Amino acid sequence: MSSAEGRVVLVTGGNRGIGRAIAGRFVEEGYRVAVTARSGEGPEGTLTVRADVTDGAAVDAAFAEVEQQLGPVEIVVANAGITKDTLLMRMSEDDFDSVVATNLGGSFRVVKRASKGMLKARFGRVILISSVVGLLGSAGQVNYASSKSALVGFARSLTRELGARGITTNVVAPGFIETDMTAELPEATQAEYRKSIPAGRYGSAAEVAAAVTWLASDDAGYISGAVIPVDGGLGMGH
Ligand SMILES: NC(=O)c1ccc[n+]([C@@H]2O[C@H](COP(=O)([O-])OP(=O)(O)OC[C@H]3O[C@@H](n4cnc5c(N)ncnc54)[C@H](OP(=O)(O)O)[C@@H]3O)[C@@H](O)[C@H]2O)c1
């Protein structure tokens, strides 16, 4: 029996896209897995709890339910995220605030709540899903890129705060991955992006999930404050 077996994982936004693939991979590897969802359900074998990550009380209630049913959360994956793309001149305060409140504020709420149990257990894995555009920048994504690059400062500060307590905090920065989020882009834009990716293709949610489960494993116990790109070379290691 591997030491991963029985560990409790919570993935936010586990009902579709990358979060769903991450949750499914953890189930396959023998973890006990809960997902938060606003709608729908997580993959087979997961416990689904309702939560909007912009609502602190809902996040708290979701954790309480997971703790009651599975035990304290030992591995948290802050994956829930949104885009509201437009050029700065057209970006409303709401376009900016809602993206930051979900992507950055949501990660803050979820990780803060998870850290309580991790500190008690003197073990934890915090994994934040950022994006290659947080590091490279992207026209039309001032709100999104800001929220995603902020996760790097978040992870590095938390590594300094909690690193001595057996808790690692890392960032996974996917490039262009085939999900609903990228399907929304016009075909011409998608083709343009594809040309710029050294691997010559979009990635799959499964490829992101593989990096996340590895960071959660005992093998990655001495890795913290890192940004792991899963982007076919687009960000050249950043
Ligand atoms: N796809 C890509 O190419 C790509 C690249 C880099 C980074 N990422 C990042 O990877 C993560 C997942 O992206 P994806 O492509 O899988 O996106 P997606 O298919 O659009 O799924 C987004 C997920 O986030 C959830 N979510 C959004 N707002 C939420 C809120 N306020 N409270 C709770 N859950 C919320 C959604 O729940 P509902 O179903 O209820 O809306 C859904 O489960 C995001 O953080 C995204 O920024 C994606």
Side-chain angles (χ1 to χ4, degrees):
M1 178 162 150
S2 90
S3 59
E5 265 180 78
R7 282 210 172 122
V8 177
V9 185
L10 178 69
V11 182
T12 63
N15 54 317
R16 59 196 174 91
I18 292 172
R20 187 180 179 86
I22 292 169
R25 177 76 188 250
F26 273 119
V27 171
E28 276 167 33
E29 294 195 9
Y31 293 79
R32 286 181 293 154
V33 186
V35 306
T36 72
R38 293 184 301 184
S39 58
E41 299 284 321
E44 204 180 331
T46 60
L47 167 70
T48 301
V49 292
R50 296 280 160 229
D52 185 319
V53 297
T54 62
D55 176 347
V59 168
D60 189 43
F63 269 83
E65 194 179 337
V66 175
E67 284 161 355
Q68 200 211 344
Q69 300 219 29
L70 303 181
V73 172
E74 296 161 286
I75 297 159
V76 69
V77 184
N79 163 79
I82 56 168
T83 50
K84 283 197 181 169
D85 299 351
T86 189
L87 296 173
L88 179 67
M89 290 301 285
R90 290 198 204 116
M91 192 175 284
S92 67
E93 284 209 23
D94 182 61
D95 292 335
F96 188 86
D97 291 345
S98 57
V99 169
V100 171
T102 304
N103 300 359
L104 177 59
S107 299
F108 163 75
R109 286 176 203 97
V110 165
V111 173
K112 182 179 174 187
R113 181 60 176 77
S115 69
K116 282 189 197 172
M118 292 177 179
L119 280 165
K120 248 188 225 154
R122 297 188 76 84
F123 175 86
R125 294 278 193 270
V126 175
I127 299 159
L128 309 175
I129 306 300
S130 175
S131 167
V132 68
V133 307
L135 303 154
L136 289 188
S138 167
Q141 293 197 304
V142 159
N143 50 1
Y144 182 76
S146 303
S147 72
K148 292 299 188 179
S149 61
L151 294 175
V152 177
F154 185 132
R156 292 182 172 162
S157 301
L158 199 62
T159 289
R160 292 190 189 279
E161 279 190 36
L162 304 184
R165 314 285 185 93
I167 299 168
T168 67
T169 307
N170 290 290
V171 168
V172 170
F176 293 104
I177 307 297
E178 277 170 357
T179 66
D180 294 346
M181 195 178 265
T182 44
E184 277 176 18
L185 296 167
E187 187 44 51
T189 312
Q190 290 197 38
E192 191 63 32
Y193 286 160
R194 213 170 279 121
K195 270 197 259 164
S196 64
I197 303 167
R201 63 170 179 89
Y202 276 28
S204 69
E207 288 170 315
V208 180
V212 171
T213 50
W214 174 71
L215 280 172
S217 73
D218 287 350
D219 284 348
Y222 200 54
I223 296 170
S224 198
V227 179
I228 308 290
V230 184
D231 63 3
L234 181 60
M236 288 295 162
H238 296 290

